[in-house]
Amino acid sequence: MREVPVHVVTRRQWLGALSACAASVAVPAWAGAQLEEPLVDSVRSALSAAVGDLAPPEPVFVSTDARMAYLRWLTTMSDKLHRRMPDWEVRCDFLQTVWYEAKRAGLEVSLVMGLIQVESGFRKFAVSVAGARGYMQIMPFWTRVIGDGDAGKLFHMQTNLRFGCVILRHYLERERGDLFMALGRYNGSRGKDKYPNLVLGAQKQWLFDPNAPRKA
């Protein structure tokens, strides 16, 4: 009888295959559900304009000091995020985009980082039970209300971060600057303290003092 050659799969190859498989599967996330609410035409138009024009997130600095402060922030945040995002290029691109989109929306970068930590654990393809997607757990209805209707784009990094920051800014304006209530609205749990407290607690891990002495 002719012997059939057996391909021996090494442990490294097996783990690699598992990793590739896992990367292609949407990972569940702990998140609530943003509620679809009626928007007046002026607000819808403003939000549509705000999420459009996804130019490359290139930071612009008014001075050398500002640029150096950004680079120190990037280095510090990269060190903190290394365990969750081992790949340097992916991590750097993510942090630069978070910084750009948060600043563009007038939000504290540390707040956005804390929200992402709570919403998705920094997982690009996270999906909640309610169907929210991506880093900032955006409900698909937003792409219909203020986007082009393609919910698949919510797994694109900059698109997801753009929507998340614009939506949070919208909720802050609706709540007249009340961050506690805005965070609750973002999570679909307005008036309850669990989610805002989680985000504000996580935010502390991502605070950055540009004047703090550098570690040797």
Side-chain angles (χ1 to χ4, degrees), residues 30-124:
W30 182 91
Q34 296 158 355
L35 303 179
E36 182 172 0
E37 301 171 307
L39 299 175
V40 298
D41 289 342
S42 59
V43 172
R44 180 182 290 105
S45 296
L47 291 176
S48 296
V51 299
D53 187 25
L54 286 175
E58 297 292 339
V60 176
F61 306 99
V62 297
S63 67
T64 300
D65 287 344
R67 177 174 177 79
M68 294 305 296
Y70 166 76
L71 292 176
R72 289 196 295 273
W73 172 85
L74 183 63
T75 300
T76 301
M77 295 302 111
S78 178
D79 290 343
K80 291 184 177 182
L81 194 59
H82 180 270
R83 182 176 60 83
R84 296 174 184 269
M85 289 186 184
D87 186 281
W88 157 248
E89 291 187 3
V90 172
R91 193 166 68 248
C92 183
D93 191 28
F94 170 80
L95 287 170
Q96 177 173 296
T97 306
V98 169
W99 190 92
Y100 178 90
E101 294 299 338
K103 294 288 185 180
R104 181 179 182 275
L107 301 171
E108 293 183 30
V109 182
S110 59
L111 174 65
V112 175
M113 291 291 287
L115 186 147
I116 294 171
Q117 177 176 317
V118 171
E119 287 284 347
S120 68
F122 297 97
R123 294 173 297 181
K124 182 177 182 179

Side-chain angles (χ1 to χ4, degrees), residues 72 207-213:
R72 289 196 295 273
L207 294 172
F208 173 72
D209 181 1
N211 299 313

Side-chain angles (χ1 to χ4, degrees), residues 32-35 128 130-133 137-143 154 167:
Q34 296 158 355
L35 303 179
S128 75
R133 302 181 179 190
Q137 289 294 279
I138 312 302
M139 291 293 288
F141 73 78
W142 281 108
T143 61
L154 294 177
I167 292 166

